Amino acid sequence: KSAAGVQCTVQCNDPAPIGGTTTEGPGTTTVPLNLECRDYKVMDDVRRSVNNGNGTKPSTVPYKCDSDRFPQYLAPDWKGTGWYRMMSPAGAVIPETSPGKWVCGTYCPGYMQGTHPTTPGQTKDVQFCFDCSVGSQYSSCSEPRQGKVTNCGDFYVYYLEKVGCIRRYCAAPSL
């Protein structure tokens, strides 16, 4: 439990009660009120990284997906619809542009259309896309999902929905 008594899924590092303040040297820092910044699931599978894959179809089927429809392809860090934080070794953020096909350990890599909020505590409604493009045959924004992103100060959290298999949310090292 955090100092505020909030049950956390991961380590809280909560320096003050929710909505409280903590003194750091001569200044005062306000702790964001957002519960999702303290209660989230973690995506940290290294295969989720935009650096995993070279953009060409692999000879074997290594796909993972953020869906439980086909258990043999279920990503090990997908725990169902909810708030997620991207963490190392996967990366720190969901990219804002398509990383290209055949990366992130899947056929259709997921990215966020739009930009991350810049103010701590701010939440934005966003759309997540999955790049399944094959020439002009498919869109680079296949099966979009509505979601949210919250700026938690030192990191972001994302409200993510389950997607169809061969689709997976990607992680990048930085914005």
Side-chain angles (χ1 to χ4, degrees), residues 74-159:
L74 177 65
D77 54 358
W78 177 254
K79 308 298 182 205
T81 297
W83 286 98
Y84 284 87
R85 177 181 176 183
M86 298 293 176
M87 294 184 75
S88 183
V93 296
I94 293 180
E96 295 177 349
T97 58
S98 171
K101 205 169 85 170
W102 296 113
V103 296
C104 307
T106 195
Y107 179 79
C108 302
Y111 64 98
M112 188 178 87
Q113 269 192 335
T115 59
H116 286 72
T118 56
T119 305
Q122 181 184 9
T123 299
K124 285 177 70 172
D125 291 321
V126 293
Q127 179 171 273
F128 295 99
C129 293
F130 300 87
D131 190 346
C132 299
S133 59
V134 180
S136 61
Q137 188 175 5
Y138 294 101
S139 168
S140 63
C141 189
S142 173
E143 292 189 31
R145 295 288 191 268
Q146 297 306 306
K148 295 179 182 295
V149 57
T150 298
N151 180 328
C152 295
D154 294 332
F155 61 93
Y156 296 93
V157 291
Y158 306 87
Y159 187 81

Side-chain angles (χ1 to χ4, degrees), residues 5-174:
V6 175
Q7 186 67 41
C8 296
T9 304
V10 296
Q11 183 178 2
C12 292
N13 295 325
D14 186 5
I18 296 175
T21 57
T22 182
T23 302
E24 296 176 359
T28 300
T29 302
T30 301
V31 178
L33 293 172
N34 309 62
L35 179 59
E36 65 267 22
C37 292
R38 292 175 175 77
D39 188 13
Y40 52 81
K41 301 165 192 167
V42 171
M43 286 188 163
D44 59 357
D45 179 23
V46 68
R47 293 168 292 187
R48 188 176 293 282
S49 170
V50 296
N51 297 317
N52 177 32
N54 62 8
T56 60
K57 184 176 180 178
S59 58
T60 60
V61 183
Y63 324 149
K64 293 295 178 184
C65 54
D66 294 329
S67 170
D68 55 5
R69 184 170 178 201
F70 299 102
Q72 69 270 33
Y73 300 123
L74 177 65
D77 54 358
W78 177 254
K79 308 298 182 205
T81 297
W83 286 98
Y84 284 87
R85 177 181 176 183
M86 298 293 176
M87 294 184 75
S88 183
V93 296
I94 293 180
E96 295 177 349
T97 58
S98 171
K101 205 169 85 170
W102 296 113
V103 296
C104 307
T106 195
Y107 179 79
C108 302
Y111 64 98
M112 188 178 87
Q113 269 192 335
T115 59
H116 286 72
T118 56
T119 305
Q122 181 184 9
T123 299
K124 285 177 70 172
D125 291 321
V126 293
Q127 179 171 273
F128 295 99
C129 293
F130 300 87
D131 190 346
C132 299
S133 59
V134 180
S136 61
Q137 188 175 5
Y138 294 101
S139 168
S140 63
C141 189
S142 173
E143 292 189 31
R145 295 288 191 268
Q146 297 306 306
K148 295 179 182 295
V149 57
T150 298
N151 180 328
C152 295
D154 294 332
F155 61 93
Y156 296 93
V157 291
Y158 306 87
Y159 187 81
L160 305 176
E161 294 182 354
K162 176 173 76 170
V163 296
C165 208
I166 72 166
R167 289 167 182 77
R168 186 180 199 194
Y169 298 98
C170 286
S174 63

